[in-house]
Amino acid sequence: MDFNVKKFASGAGLFFTRAFQFTEEKLGQAEKTELDAHFENLMSRADCTKHWTDKIYRQTEVLLQPNPIDHTGARIEEFLYEKLDRKAPSRVTNAELLGQYMQDAAKEFGPGTPYGSALMKVGECERRLGTAEREFLQTSAISFLTPLRNFLEGDWRTISKERRLLENLRLDLDACKTRLKKAKVAEAKASMAPDFQETRPRNYVLSASASALWSEEVEKAEHELRVAQTEFDRQAEVTRLLLEGISSTHVNHLRCLHEFVEAQAAYYKQCHLHMQELQKELGSSDEDVFPNAFALNSTHSVAAAGSEAEGLSSPVETDTLKIEEVQAPATGTRKAKVLYDYDAADSSELSLLADELITVYTMPGMDSDWLIGERGNQKGKVPVTYLELLS
């Protein structure tokens, strides 16, 4: 019990001394030991690294898990499984869930119907996209998020702890310097020779006694200063080594960043391939559903086949289609209602306004996703998906 009381009293006294020294420094009434410029640069660099690593880590989490509610629930679930020393199960992605809904709807509508068949194909593609997304999330979490979190929760906590200890030892050192300075000033005053004519003999004894006491106080303060200086220097070296390790952290994070970019590039490439395959599948289905709008002219097909057989390239493949030279066919034109507004990307396209009626027709060699549209004297390519073909 006595030991605990003494320890508490000693700790309270040390805290008061540091607080007093810190307050006097802020008021400009006490000197402060300044660290060298290199050490200050190391600390500034470490603070900058921590700040931006934390922001990058948080925003990457938002990128990989954009829904804040799902993100919070996922973190809680991961935390519980981590405490139970168990692996968290893989979660179904939104794309996989959408694909499942589409396939279930296709079964209800009938997979043999045009809409049901399209839903089945799109649903399967969405499920493949969801699988690719889940693999990307897992790879990114392991190769990028985990190293950043390890730095924030491991290395940076160690650095912060040692820096706080260094600051406390710096306050102790400056307090010792202040105490020694005051003791020397008091010793000098006590050792001044008194005036024999105005001072009583009793004061000679008191003056000599005070001088001896202050001499002992100076020796004690000098010893405490040496001890404090040694502890401060040792802690400064430990902290310096940790701060210099930030360079290695940057190298490690650079490697992790490259791995994250590679994973992201592979993910988007895979998604692009899946979508291209889906477009081809839907395009072949659309030719059966909308033969007048999407089928190529049979005469052109035969001519193109003949040209390829003779080793010649088709004029459509080599010459750019000039919209102003396109003439409407005598037959095969149809009316179409515009479903949505569309802004032309270049001069070859026609801008559209929702609910207006235009005349559309196809030309040999055109992409099945486009038609030629006419509105008065204006003419240009229009996307099929923005139109409702009328009989």
Side-chain angles (χ1 to χ4, degrees):
M1 182 67 180
D2 294 339
F3 174 76
N4 292 336
V5 172
K6 292 180 179 179
K7 184 177 181 181
F8 174 78
S10 176
L14 188 60
F15 174 80
F16 176 78
T17 302
R18 291 171 177 172
F20 183 77
Q21 176 66 26
F22 180 80
T23 302
E24 286 198 327
E25 289 176 358
K26 290 299 181 181
L27 296 176
Q29 299 176 356
E31 296 181 0
K32 177 181 177 181
T33 299
E34 299 293 343
L35 300 170
D36 60 86
H38 177 63
F39 201 99
E40 293 287 352
N41 290 335
L42 288 177
M43 289 199 297
S44 176
R45 188 184 185 206
D47 290 334
C48 184
T49 301
K50 188 268 177 183
H51 171 73
W52 288 111
T53 300
D54 184 68
K55 292 182 74 70
I56 292 172
Y57 173 78
R58 301 300 175 191
Q59 191 58 35
T60 304
E61 281 191 321
V62 174
L63 172 68
L64 300 180
Q65 187 69 48
N67 191 327
I69 299 178
D70 293 344
H71 173 66
T72 304
R75 289 300 302 272
I76 294 176
E77 182 183 12
E78 291 175 358
F79 175 77
L80 293 177
Y81 274 98
E82 181 179 352
K83 292 301 180 182
L84 295 175
D85 196 18
R86 296 177 59 186
K87 183 180 179 181
S90 58
R91 291 182 295 275
V92 178
T93 61
N94 293 328
E96 287 178 306
L97 195 58
L98 174 61
Q100 184 62 49
Y101 290 163
M102 286 184 172
Q103 290 184 327
D104 292 342
K107 294 176 182 178
E108 291 289 335
F109 298 146
T113 63
Y115 184 40
S117 176
L119 277 175
M120 186 65 70
K121 293 176 181 178
V122 177
E124 180 60 31
C125 180
E126 292 295 336
R127 295 186 68 173
R128 290 198 296 265
L129 292 176
T131 301
E133 180 185 0
R134 186 171 65 251
E135 293 175 355
F136 167 63
L137 296 180
Q138 293 174 349
T139 303
S140 300
I142 295 174
S143 62
F144 190 61
L145 282 182
T146 300
L148 297 185
R149 183 172 63 248
N150 289 342
F151 168 74
L152 294 172
E153 297 179 356
D155 296 347
W156 181 251
R157 287 185 179 180
T158 302
I159 292 175
S160 300
K161 178 182 176 181
E162 298 300 329
R163 284 178 62 178
R164 286 194 299 269
L165 181 57
L166 177 65
E167 178 64 14
N168 290 336
L169 292 178
R170 201 270 309 162
L171 290 172
D172 294 343
L173 175 63
D174 289 337
C176 289
K177 290 180 179 179
T178 301
R179 192 179 305 117
L180 177 60
K181 183 178 180 180
K182 292 180 178 179
K184 287 184 175 180
V185 171
E187 181 189 24
K189 290 182 178 180
S191 61
M192 292 177 62
D195 190 347
F196 290 95
Q197 295 179 354
E198 298 180 359
T199 306
R200 297 179 181 179
R202 178 170 174 271
N203 289 339
Y204 289 106
V205 178
L206 294 176
S207 177
S209 176
S211 178
L213 290 175
W214 281 115
S215 297
E216 294 179 1
E217 185 67 21
V218 168
E219 293 178 0
K220 181 181 178 181
E222 289 177 344
H223 173 72
E224 291 177 351
L225 177 60
R226 287 192 296 269
V227 173
Q229 185 69 55
T230 301
E231 293 180 352
F232 173 78
D233 293 340
R234 181 169 55 248
Q235 183 61 33
E237 184 62 24
V238 171
T239 308
R240 184 193 301 273
L241 292 176
L242 290 174
L243 293 175
E244 289 175 349
I246 293 294
S247 298
S248 300
T249 299
H250 285 189
V251 174
N252 182 39
H253 288 181
L254 175 61
R255 177 182 56 81
C256 296
L257 182 61
H258 279 277
E259 294 180 1
F260 174 67
V261 171
E262 292 296 330
Q264 200 169 25
Y267 165 62
Y268 287 126
K269 181 179 180 181
Q270 193 172 6
C271 291
H272 181 64
L273 293 176
H274 289 326
M275 293 307 300
Q276 281 186 322
E277 294 176 1
L278 177 62
Q279 284 181 316
K280 291 179 180 178
E281 293 178 3
L282 293 180
S284 61
S285 301
D286 289 340
E287 290 179 2
D288 298 333
V289 179
F290 308 108
N292 293 332
F294 299 99
L296 295 178
N297 188 284
S298 58
T299 304
H300 165 71
S301 301
V302 173
S307 299
E308 292 177 359
E310 296 175 2
L312 301 176
S313 60
S314 172
V316 178
E317 296 176 356
T318 56
D319 297 336
T320 303
L321 181 65
K322 296 182 179 180
I323 299 300
E324 61 273 11
E325 298 177 359
V326 174
Q327 300 296 329
T331 59
T333 60
R334 302 181 63 178
K335 290 292 183 180
K337 180 181 178 181
V338 179
L339 300 177
Y340 322 102
D341 292 345
Y342 176 75
D343 294 328
D346 52 48
S347 59
S348 66
E349 297 180 8
L350 179 66
S351 297
L352 303 174
L353 295 176
D355 297 329
E356 69 173 330
L357 294 178
I358 63 173
T359 302
V360 296
Y361 51 89
T362 184
M363 294 299 296
M366 283 190 63
D367 191 336
S368 60
D369 293 337
W370 296 85
L371 293 173
I372 300 297
E374 287 188 0
R375 183 204 307 115
N377 296 329
Q378 297 180 339
K379 182 188 301 182
K381 295 191 300 181
V382 294
V384 174
T385 53
Y386 281 71
L387 303 174
E388 179 185 355
L389 298 177
L390 304 177
S391 56

